[in-house]
């Protein structure tokens, strides 16, 4: 295994595709369909994610708000990838977190490369 990844994406097909692509690449993957459930995963005692891949636009708590709520202490050793249709509009810093913006759609090979790169940046 190359690390544990949390995928937070509200589109069922995109979430399933990302999860399968990352599993095929050797990652252990947990999924959440919204920011609230993503926070639940992040707040599980004893669970550490190497990378969090989160959609910027989620119902309820959006991706940036989810990351703020988790806090930089919780995510200090975690690579953070924020998906958006307009990645140039996203800040690379978010309340003490270094965030890498990704544009959707993203090819499977590019997704794996981005997650691998984020996992080396993460602790």
């Amino acid at each position: 295994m190359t690390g544990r990844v949390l995928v937070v994406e509200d589109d069922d097909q995109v979430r399933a595709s990302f999860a399968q692509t990352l599993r095929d690449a050797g990652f252990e993957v947990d999924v959440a369909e919204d920011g609230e459930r993503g926070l639940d995963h992040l707040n599980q005692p004893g669970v550490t994610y190497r990378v969090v891949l989160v959609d910027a636009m989620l119902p309820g708590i959006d991706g940036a708000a989810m990351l703020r709520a988790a806090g930089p202490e919780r995510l200090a050793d975690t690579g953070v990838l924020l998906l958006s249709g307009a990645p140039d509009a996203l800040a690379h810093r978010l309340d003490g977190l270094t965030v890498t913006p990704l544009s959707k759609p993203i090819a499977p090979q590019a997704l794996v490369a981005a997650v691998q790169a984020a996992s080396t940046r993460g602790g």
Side-chain angles (χ1 to χ4, degrees), residues 11 34 40 50 66 89:
D11 184 296
D34 58 38
D40 290 345
R50 198 75 178 139
M66 184 198 89

Side-chain angles (χ1 to χ4, degrees), residues 82-98:
L82 190 61
L83 291 157
S84 171
D88 295 338
L90 298 173
H92 289 260
R93 301 272 311 159
L94 180 67
D95 294 339
L97 292 172
T98 299

